[in-house]
Amino acid sequence: MIEKLLLKLRARDEVGPAEQAALLEMVETVKDVPADTVLVHEGDELSNSTLLISGMMSRYKDLRDAGRQISAIHIPGDFVDLHSFTLKVLDHNILTMTDCRIGLVPHDRLTRITENFPHLTRLLWFTTTLDAAMHREWELSLGRRSAIARTAHLFCELMTRLTVIGMADADGYDLPVSQVELAECLGLTSVHVNRTLKELRQQGIVEFRNRRVIVLNRAEMERVAEFRPNYLYLSKRQS
Amino acid sequence: MIEKLLLKLRARDEVGPAEQAALLEMVETVKDVPADTVLVHEGDELSNSTLLISGMMSRYKDLRDAGRQISAIHIPGDFVDLHSFTLKVLDHNILTMTDCRIGLVPHDRLTRITENFPHLTRLLWFTTTLDAAMHREWELSLGRRSAIARTAHLFCELMTRLTVIGMADADGYDLPVSQVELAECLGLTSVHVNRTLKELRQQGIVEFRNRRVIVLNRAEMERVAEFRPNYLYLSKRQS
DNA sequence: CGCAATCTTGAATCATTTCAACATAAGTGG
DNA sequence: CCACTTATGTTGAAATGATTCAAGATTGCG
């Protein structure tokens, strides 16, 4: 149930047996949530954080006229709103993009962890700062990358993250989202995403078909995206 | 020396006397750094975090061709790279925008805090999740807001943050940055920032002159920006 | 099978960039 | 304190990347 979380954490640091047990025990309830459900609304008072066990979720903010911006995509093993432990109320919404299985972690159990497991606390803290690092890379994409580089970059990022949890293979991965949702991640219109995908396909770089990303030329994809995975912190640190 | 940090923290939560002492003691060294110094380079191994005592800093990422994206602006009281405590290496650069006074906080002292001050740990953790919330709002700006709304939004955010630490008054605040730097925050060219500032001035909304933001019509500025300060978490929470 | 959602394409429009020139302010050494 | 130099700001005109609008094609779903 927390295997993907462990894969993610162990790619970055050691997780001892007592810590592993603590992680397992922090999950109070497991729930299944259908696709397209807004799990958390901006402004809700929260007393649980959500561990994504299977499925995909997005976090987004709305603007009155100008539509919606997705600020993060979550994959299994992600602690989708661990930051609600410190924030108590979220500034964004959380949406299931597919049917999902989630683990609910009461905030008071996280408080116990901060009282009894300093190293595990730092590791959990790390995962929230990793989220921030991804936000920064998205800021760079949104602010400076062209449509084609931005799109390729998103595909690179997901390729890397999904590989860590064993959900990508050399030729690609499933990405169960529509072009509209892609556009909401990329700060583009869905029409332009469509044209950009066509361009990437015609250049033999990547293909997005049947909700699957098929990598045709990974080196070229990473070159176009100017992808440098350092911001994903995939080497082991010592904390 | 840590008054601005305390103002910032106490706007959000209680800070007890023992915690205040611990905060003060964590600063090992105070240093003065001239303007336009790259304090931290992307990829440096770090063993200190930086508390900004006076002056302004930015955090940015470079792209080979497409220039630079600033991902955050920091003001006194900000723990500029507290996230380097958990990340060890940064994915971005840190630059002084003015002469700055900083406090260096060794990571091992922060480790002691996680071992001995769980509540203070959560409070420091909170400040990093607050940074992430600002990143998300910038993602929204970069992805969806028009040039004029985006510019107005940045001015609103800084007005609010500077007010917390007593560095803004009703008519405005000092913002010692060039239009080029503004452009690097906003994902625009400096030429377009110039035109956008002209528009804001002519509409009687805000003026940016002599490195000072002069708010002419705050309600209108916030309306244009679609500014909702919830993401700055200015009410007291209980952690 | 039929309806709704999603994808695809073209043409016109629009916001922003680019390039280039000039104006103003700020900073430095004589 | 002035002259010179460099950084910063300002404006116009042309080019471009992305959006909008609209229509048709394809796919998925009940």
Side-chain angles (χ1 to χ4, degrees):
Chain A
M1 189 182 79
I2 62 165
E3 308 78 40
K4 301 250 192 280
L5 172 62
L6 288 169
L7 282 171
K8 177 178 165 174
L9 294 179
R10 289 200 165 117
R12 277 82 176 202
D13 199 353
E14 311 297 334
V15 180
E19 292 176 335
Q20 178 168 341
L23 283 172
L24 193 55
E25 278 165 28
M26 74 186 177
V27 178
E28 186 181 60
T29 322
V30 173
K31 267 180 37 177
D32 289 308
V33 187
D36 290 309
T37 308
V38 179
L39 242 195
V40 175
H41 290 86
E42 181 178 341
D44 289 351
E45 280 278 343
L46 301 172
S47 53
N48 291 286
S49 285
T50 306
L51 174 67
L52 182 50
I53 298 171
S54 70
M56 272 189 177
M57 291 188 182
S58 68
R59 290 156 43 192
Y60 69 92
K61 299 183 103 164
D62 278 316
L63 227 40
R64 240 192 316 281
D65 304 316
R68 165 174 303 187
Q69 179 64 38
I70 294 178
S71 60
I73 288 191
H74 286 292
I75 63 175
D78 283 353
F79 228 133
V80 175
D81 63 346
L82 181 52
H83 53 295
S84 76
F85 171 53
T86 58
L87 296 175
K88 305 303 172 197
V89 165
L90 291 187
D91 53 298
H92 61 263
N93 307 285
I94 301 181
L95 176 74
T96 56
M97 306 178 96
T98 64
D99 293 344
C100 289
R101 171 159 292 178
I102 62 174
L104 291 178
V105 179
H107 287 166
D108 51 12
R109 296 195 185 180
L110 290 167
T111 303
R112 293 301 94 67
I113 287 179
T114 65
E115 287 161 352
N116 301 314
F117 296 92
H119 174 264
L120 184 56
T121 299
R122 294 192 295 272
L123 192 49
L124 291 175
W125 186 350
F126 162 79
T127 68
T128 64
T129 57
L130 175 57
D131 277 346
M134 293 193 263
H135 287 325
R136 285 192 288 275
E137 190 68 29
W138 283 36
E139 286 182 79
L140 179 60
S141 274
L142 291 165
R144 295 285 169 225
R145 283 188 175 94
S146 65
I148 201 169
R150 213 183 289 180
T151 307
H153 192 277
L154 178 61
F155 290 155
C156 290
E157 175 177 312
L158 288 169
M159 180 80 181
T160 304
R161 290 168 61 198
L162 287 165
T163 299
V164 172
I165 57 166
M167 288 183 69
D169 43 61
D171 48 304
Y173 52 88
D174 290 319
L175 182 60
V177 307
S178 68
Q179 293 184 7
V180 172
E181 289 167 298
L182 238 32
E184 287 167 346
C185 292
L186 297 170
L188 300 167
T189 58
S190 63
V191 172
H192 199 59
V193 165
N194 183 279
R195 296 194 229 269
T196 304
L197 291 172
K198 185 183 178 183
E199 180 71 16
L200 284 166
R201 178 176 0 107
Q202 286 177 344
Q203 287 190 221
I205 298 172
V206 225
E207 208 169 318
F208 181 61
R209 264 214 346 260
N210 306 323
R211 317 230 145 174
R212 184 172 171 85
V213 174
I214 300 149
V215 178
L216 304 172
N217 183 339
R218 182 154 185 190
E220 188 58 11
M221 176 170 81
E222 299 190 344
R223 203 194 56 73
V224 167
E226 223 173 289
F227 180 66
R228 295 193 309 122
N230 63 318
Y231 75 97
L232 295 173
Y233 291 88
L234 283 164
S235 52
K236 288 235 184 183
R237 305 147 322 98
Q238 203 56 16
S239 66
Chain B
M1 190 182 80
I2 61 165
E3 309 77 38
K4 301 249 193 280
L5 172 62
L6 288 169
L7 281 172
K8 178 178 165 174
L9 294 178
R10 289 202 165 116
R12 277 81 176 202
D13 199 354
E14 311 298 334
V15 180
E19 292 176 335
Q20 178 168 341
L23 284 172
L24 193 55
E25 279 165 29
M26 73 185 178
V27 177
E28 185 180 61
T29 324
V30 173
K31 268 181 35 178
D32 288 308
V33 187
D36 290 308
T37 309
V38 178
L39 243 195
V40 176
H41 290 86
E42 180 178 341
D44 289 351
E45 279 277 343
L46 302 173
S47 53
N48 292 286
S49 285
T50 307
L51 175 65
L52 183 51
I53 298 171
S54 69
M56 270 189 179
M57 291 187 178
S58 68
R59 289 158 42 195
Y60 69 91
K61 300 184 104 166
D62 277 316
L63 229 39
R64 242 192 313 281
D65 305 314
R68 166 174 300 188
Q69 179 65 38
I70 294 178
S71 60
I73 289 190
H74 286 292
I75 63 175
D78 282 354
F79 228 133
V80 175
D81 62 347
L82 181 52
H83 52 295
S84 77
F85 171 53
T86 57
L87 296 176
K88 305 302 171 201
V89 164
L90 290 188
D91 54 298
H92 61 263
N93 308 285
I94 301 182
L95 176 74
T96 57
M97 308 180 95
T98 65
D99 294 344
C100 288
R101 169 157 294 175
I102 61 173
L104 291 179
V105 179
H107 286 167
D108 51 11
R109 295 194 185 182
L110 289 168
T111 302
R112 292 302 95 65
I113 288 180
T114 65
E115 287 160 353
N116 301 313
F117 296 90
H119 174 262
L120 184 56
T121 300
R122 295 192 294 272
L123 193 49
L124 290 175
W125 186 351
F126 163 79
T127 68
T128 64
T129 55
L130 175 57
D131 276 348
M134 292 192 265
H135 287 325
R136 286 191 287 277
E137 190 68 27
W138 284 37
E139 286 181 77
L140 179 61
S141 274
L142 291 164
R144 295 287 169 221
R145 283 188 175 93
S146 65
I148 201 168
R150 214 184 289 182
T151 307
H153 192 276
L154 178 61
F155 289 156
C156 289
E157 175 178 313
L158 288 169
M159 180 80 182
T160 304
R161 290 169 59 199
L162 288 165
T163 299
V164 171
I165 58 167
M167 289 184 69
D169 42 59
D171 48 305
Y173 52 90
D174 290 320
L175 182 61
V177 307
S178 68
Q179 292 184 9
V180 172
E181 289 167 298
L182 239 30
E184 288 167 347
C185 292
L186 297 170
L188 300 168
T189 58
S190 64
V191 172
H192 199 60
V193 165
N194 184 281
R195 296 194 230 269
T196 304
L197 291 172
K198 185 182 179 186
E199 180 70 17
L200 284 166
R201 177 174 3 104
Q202 286 178 343
Q203 287 191 219
I205 297 172
V206 227
E207 207 169 317
F208 181 62
R209 265 218 338 265
N210 306 322
R211 317 228 145 176
R212 186 173 168 83
V213 174
I214 300 150
V215 178
L216 304 171
N217 184 340
R218 182 155 186 190
E220 187 59 11
M221 177 170 81
E222 299 190 344
R223 202 193 56 74
V224 166
E226 222 171 291
F227 180 66
R228 295 193 310 121
N230 62 318
Y231 75 98
L232 295 172
Y233 290 89
L234 284 164
S235 52
K236 289 235 184 183
R237 306 147 319 100
Q238 203 58 17
S239 66

